[in-house]
Amino acid sequence: MEEWKEYRLGDYCDFQNGYAFKSSEFKTNGEYKIVKIKELKDGLVKFFDDSASVDVQDIKEFEKYKIYRNDVLFALTGDPVSKPNPLSWVGRVSIYRSDENALLNQRTCKIKKSERIDNKFLYYYFRQWENFYALASKATGSASQANISTNTIADTIIKLPPLPTQQKIAAILSSLDDKIELNNKINTNLEQQDQALFKNWFVDFEPFGGKMPEGWKVGKLSDVAEITMGQSPDGKSYNEDGTGTVFYQGRAEFGTRFPTRRLFTTEPKRIAKKFDTLMSVRAPVGDLNIANEDCCIGRGLTAIHSKDNHQSFVHYTVLALRLKLDVFNGEGTVFGCINRDALDNMEVIIPSKTDMNKFEEIVSTLDTEIFNRSEENDRLKNIRDTLLPKLMNGELEVNKIEY
């Protein structure tokens, strides 16, 4: 086996800190997206509806802050390791898998490309749990906010194989992530088709001459759906070792479309059924996911279930309500919330059973494809996460792996 040697990371590569953009410069649809700490999520850079952007008069002034595809970024500020959610810890690493124009904000940094070490290899190195935890554990700060510097990352002692082996390891793991990314793009396209068809039929009424057909009516959400408000089980029953029923406490577990398993409970209270629409009912109100299995839901969520097997119709009905900006303003505390009565009485279009059946037949087929690709992604992630430590520790001979 090729020899792996220990090196100080900073002797092989340099780092670039982000720029301190002023919030007064931020726009909704600027030319360059701004990558802040919050955009570094679960190994990727993810933009959100409220992600900031800027227009830049002379990009040469900001050239060193530009982010390119496959750049590797770190969060220099975040939660300490004493907090329960590693997705928000300081030191988390992400890779930029986009071609969109973007600039690096303060308290984030990127690894400058080096001819002596493979950037993607470093990304996967710090995605390995032990290495991520070791870096995050070096942070200083308070119980509510931890900080590291580029010097902290540079001082990491890393065991490296020769550069060609680094590149092969990164290529094996990247091939799995590339397939995951492709599946996500296909799923996004299918969901956009679903939304467009819903709008075409039930908002614009285009197939029906632009007006609501006879036999349709305006009703309430409770006319077509059963609504179950979540109730959190005893906190002593929570666990992360897979004992009991999967438990989604709130939107923290939400993914792109389906939630991510993190917590379990041995004392489930309120149960959502597989494929129910899950909606956050507090802080913030209105974020949506779909239950990919029967699960316990906490008080931060509600489950919305079709009364007559038109779950895709119900889901896109709720999504359309969500997209109306003022619908989910909520009530109560500064955090905002929405109660059962308010949900029950949401005004919705109720088509004839014949038209609802036609829509369901088309869209449920696409939704099944989305679910199957999401399941495939879970399998690919498990393969990747199983291979990751073995490749990084030199246990597997990369030349013998087909990919």
Side-chain angles (χ1 to χ4, degrees):
M1 187 179 75
E2 297 166 306
E3 187 176 2
W4 291 53
K5 297 180 180 179
E6 288 188 343
Y7 303 91
R8 177 182 175 273
L9 182 56
D11 294 336
Y12 270 63
C13 62
D14 295 317
F15 301 85
Q16 176 62 55
N17 280 296
Y19 180 77
F21 289 96
K22 297 178 181 178
S23 59
S24 59
E25 300 171 337
F26 292 159
K27 298 184 175 182
T28 303
N29 295 304
E31 184 180 2
Y32 286 85
K33 291 282 190 181
I34 300 300
V35 177
K36 301 181 183 180
I37 294 169
K38 78 179 182 70
E39 274 75 37
L40 306 187
K41 293 290 184 183
D42 198 18
L44 297 173
V45 177
K46 299 180 181 180
F47 294 118
F48 306 95
D49 291 342
D50 62 347
S51 290
S53 59
V54 295
D55 289 326
V56 177
Q57 291 184 348
D58 185 3
I59 191 57
K60 291 181 180 179
E61 296 181 12
F62 296 90
E63 189 64 39
K64 65 181 180 180
Y65 304 110
K66 286 180 69 175
I67 306 171
Y68 298 91
R69 187 174 181 85
N70 293 322
D71 273 352
V72 177
L73 285 62
F74 289 88
L76 301 180
T77 295
D79 286 343
V81 295
S82 58
K83 292 292 184 69
N85 187 6
L87 296 181
S88 64
W89 283 0
V90 66
R92 60 187 184 274
V93 66
S94 292
I95 192 167
Y96 193 62
R97 297 180 66 91
S98 171
D99 297 311
E100 191 168 3
N101 291 333
L103 295 169
L104 198 64
N105 196 53
Q106 63 183 339
R107 301 310 301 158
T108 62
C109 75
K110 70 174 183 177
I111 300 175
K112 293 183 179 180
K113 285 185 170 59
S114 168
E115 294 181 357
R116 304 177 67 192
I117 194 167
D118 186 82
N119 257 27
K120 284 187 179 180
F121 179 90
L122 288 180
Y123 165 71
Y124 288 112
Y125 176 87
F126 284 104
R127 284 290 286 168
Q128 188 176 358
W129 173 258
E130 292 81 359
N131 299 329
F132 168 40
Y133 184 84
L135 177 62
S137 297
K138 295 175 182 177
T140 59
S142 66
S144 59
Q145 178 175 295
N147 300 288
I148 60 172
S149 67
T150 54
N151 288 335
T152 310
I153 307 171
D155 285 337
T156 300
I157 302 301
I158 181 171
K159 199 170 186 179
L160 294 173
L163 182 59
T165 302
Q166 295 176 35
Q167 293 167 337
K168 288 177 183 177
I169 290 173
I172 291 168
L173 296 169
S174 290
S175 67
L176 295 166
D177 278 333
D178 289 343
K179 176 59 176 171
I180 292 169
E181 181 180 23
L182 176 61
N183 281 342
N184 285 334
K185 287 181 178 179
I186 294 173
N187 279 355
T188 297
N189 178 266
L190 291 176
E191 183 156 5
Q192 288 172 347
Q193 291 181 47
D194 288 346
Q195 292 180 38
L197 184 63
F198 182 92
K199 182 176 184 296
N200 181 266
W201 283 27
F202 305 120
V203 178
D204 300 329
F205 309 120
E206 287 191 14
F208 314 103
K211 60 181 180 180
M212 191 166 71
E214 291 185 13
W216 293 26
K217 65 178 183 179
V218 176
K220 300 182 295 184
L221 183 58
S222 59
D223 293 332
V224 295
E226 297 172 352
I227 298 171
T228 301
M229 304 299 286
Q231 181 179 349
S232 298
D234 188 329
K236 294 180 180 178
S237 74
Y238 296 4
N239 68 88
E240 297 185 26
D241 58 11
T243 302
T245 303
V246 65
F247 168 49
Y248 300 126
Q249 189 169 21
R251 69 178 296 278
E253 289 88 11
F254 279 11
T256 304
R257 183 179 175 94
F258 301 101
T260 301
R261 281 185 166 195
R262 183 171 67 90
L263 295 173
F264 296 79
T265 177
T266 55
E267 297 180 8
K269 300 290 186 182
R270 304 281 172 80
I271 298 295
K273 299 175 183 177
K274 185 176 182 179
F275 298 138
D276 280 0
T277 295
L278 303 179
M279 190 183 82
S280 61
V281 292
R282 60 180 67 228
V285 170
D287 282 354
L288 299 179
N289 254 204
I290 295 174
N292 46 14
E293 60 191 318
D294 290 356
C295 56
C296 172
I297 55 172
R299 64 175 184 163
L301 298 178
T302 188
I304 304 172
H305 177 80
S306 171
K307 288 183 173 180
D308 55 3
N309 298 316
H310 294 93
Q311 190 60 43
S312 290
F313 171 79
V314 165
H315 176 73
Y316 291 103
T317 293
V318 176
L319 181 61
L321 289 172
R322 171 65 180 88
L323 295 177
K324 292 180 180 179
L325 296 180
D326 293 328
V327 167
F328 287 112
N329 278 343
E331 58 182 35
T333 69
V334 69
F335 295 102
C337 63
I338 192 166
N339 63 29
R340 170 69 177 272
D341 287 343
L343 286 171
D344 280 346
N345 291 298
M346 289 289 177
E347 188 175 283
V348 300
I349 297 293
I350 303 177
S352 67
K353 282 293 173 65
T354 299
D355 291 319
M356 195 185 297
N357 287 338
K358 289 179 182 178
F359 177 82
E360 191 72 19
E361 184 177 356
I362 297 169
V363 174
S364 64
T365 300
L366 300 183
D367 284 345
T368 298
E369 290 186 37
I370 293 172
F371 174 74
N372 290 339
R373 283 194 181 85
S374 296
E375 290 284 286
E376 181 185 21
N377 277 358
D378 287 341
R379 292 191 293 271
L380 292 170
K381 290 174 184 177
N382 286 335
I383 293 171
R384 179 198 63 197
D385 295 344
T386 299
L387 287 176
L388 179 60
K390 296 180 183 297
L391 289 170
M392 286 297 165
N393 294 332
E395 292 180 35
L396 297 178
E397 182 61 52
V398 294
N399 293 322
K400 295 181 180 180
I401 298 178
E402 295 183 5
Y403 59 97

